[in-house]
Amino acid sequence: MPATVLGVLAFALAFAGLVSRYLPVDSEVVLVLAAASPYLSAAGIASMVLFAVARRWAATIVAAGLCVVMIAVLAPRYLGPEETGVPTVALRVLTANLGMGGADAGAVVELASSAADVLVVQEMTPQVAEAMSGAGLDTIFGHRVIEPRPSADGIGVWSRNPIVASGTVDGYQMPMLSTRIRVPGVRFDVTVLAVHLAAPWVQPLRWFQNDIARLPETLRKLADSAGSGAVIVAGDLNATYDMRPFRLLLDEGYRDAAEQAGAGLTRSYPSRPWLPSVVGIDHVLLRNCAASSAYTVEVPGSDHRGLAAVVDIPADPTAS
């Protein structure tokens, strides 16, 4: 009997995790269940084992079916990378939340210099912006558009290649920056949007709901203005791939770089020596280009890991 009861509880938890992926994030309960749903696959396996121990064969079969569905939902994120089949130019993109300016400026510069052609940062205070420039970031990345601000509101883009246009995107809790970058060997300028959405577990949930509900329209406008050009959206979206509002962003031809590259969960938060990262809330979204790799990196002093991606952009066929 105890095995049956435990099996029912484990099954209910796993089923709730699966269902939460397809619900609006309208409560903290759905938020937590959706974020935890990849891990709740283990509860499904436990329920199957417990039912088998209790010789509840019908329940065992049902639990096994649930396990198959949950694994089928998760498995595609580990398959890849996908082949583009066309000549491409590789652009290395790194997004890093600087932890309200607490990140080690020298470490960020060293990391960006070795792993990025485009650096997108969030939570950039005036102090850490000045420190990164003093550590040589502006020398390595000759082009930048930045908005240093106190607390979590600062944001910026640094690029090795020329930034030929830029602007702010209004209507969100925190600033966003839209840039156009001229990449050698690529016909159309690359659009890079630096994003930081409101945090649902620190700020009021409605702020996050409003931000992520507004973002699809912003992405549609980016797609329209970019035309055949590549679009790269990078930053702290404060949402995991398993949340339905996040997956709604993947319309208009967008893909999540980690999913496309088969990089798995790319857990980026929290990041502390005593606390392992458990959720992937930092993302790179792509349109008219593809990720051949994606991986997280340590950002000393920040409560986030950074996310690096190698983005393959179709090459200009007319270039010699």
Side-chain angles (χ1 to χ4, degrees):
M1 183 63 70
T4 300
V5 173
L6 291 174
V8 169
L9 293 175
F11 182 90
L13 187 59
F15 185 75
L18 177 62
V19 170
S20 67
R21 299 183 79 254
Y22 305 97
L23 298 177
V25 179
D26 54 7
S27 72
E28 284 77 6
V29 172
V30 174
L31 175 77
V32 171
L33 284 172
S37 62
Y39 303 107
L40 295 180
S41 301
I45 296 172
S47 72
M48 179 179 64
V49 172
L50 288 165
F51 286 141
V53 169
R55 298 180 180 274
R56 305 287 186 175
W57 303 122
T60 301
I61 293 171
V62 172
L66 177 63
C67 291
V68 169
V69 172
M70 296 189 80
I71 292 171
V73 166
L74 190 59
R77 291 152 70 180
Y78 290 88
L79 304 177
E82 302 173 2
E83 297 293 334
T84 62
V86 298
T88 59
V89 173
L91 186 72
R92 299 172 301 162
V93 178
L94 172 65
T95 177
N97 182 310
L98 302 181
M100 294 192 180
D104 183 314
V108 172
V109 172
E110 183 178 354
L111 174 63
S113 67
S114 63
D117 302 306
V118 176
L119 171 66
V120 177
V121 298
Q122 309 86 48
E123 299 194 12
M124 179 179 62
T125 61
Q127 294 79 12
V128 77
E130 182 178 354
M132 290 191 300
S133 293
L137 187 60
D138 296 342
T139 301
I140 301 167
F141 294 80
H143 312 273
R144 72 178 195 177
V145 177
I146 65 173
E147 282 202 23
R149 297 190 184 186
S151 188
D153 290 346
I155 198 162
V157 177
W158 273 264
S159 174
R160 295 180 191 264
N161 300 307
I163 297 176
V164 297
S166 65
T168 58
V169 179
D170 298 323
Y172 293 87
Q173 287 295 324
M174 289 176 281
M176 291 187 189
L177 291 176
S178 177
T179 63
R180 288 282 182 96
I181 298 176
R182 187 150 295 162
V183 178
V186 174
R187 174 179 290 186
F188 304 105
D189 294 336
V190 177
T191 298
V192 176
L193 178 69
V195 176
H196 191 189
L197 300 187
W201 42 80
V202 177
Q203 299 165 312
L205 180 60
R206 68 179 184 278
W207 291 7
F208 167 77
Q209 292 171 318
N210 292 339
D211 271 5
I212 203 164
R214 183 186 296 270
L215 190 52
E217 178 60 25
T218 297
L219 298 186
R220 279 192 289 272
K221 290 180 179 178
L222 279 182
D224 290 342
S225 63
S228 299
V231 181
I232 300 172
V233 179
D236 177 3
L237 274 67
N238 274 308
T240 73
Y241 190 93
D242 295 283
M243 296 178 186
R244 180 174 178 267
F246 174 83
R247 296 195 305 280
L248 292 178
L249 303 176
L250 306 179
D251 292 333
E252 306 297 331
Y254 286 92
R255 294 284 299 276
D256 179 76
E259 178 270 331
Q260 192 173 40
L265 300 182
T266 53
R267 295 177 286 263
S268 60
Y269 183 85
S271 178
R272 294 299 188 191
W274 62 90
L275 192 63
S277 299
V278 294
V279 290
I281 60 175
D282 299 88
H283 297 273
V284 174
L285 309 184
L286 305 173
R287 183 180 184 276
N288 291 340
C289 51
S292 55
S293 70
Y295 54 95
T296 63
V297 292
E298 183 182 3
V299 181
S302 175
D303 58 350
H304 287 242
R305 291 179 66 83
L307 178 65
V310 177
V311 180
D312 295 328
I313 304 170
D316 184 352
T318 65
S320 56

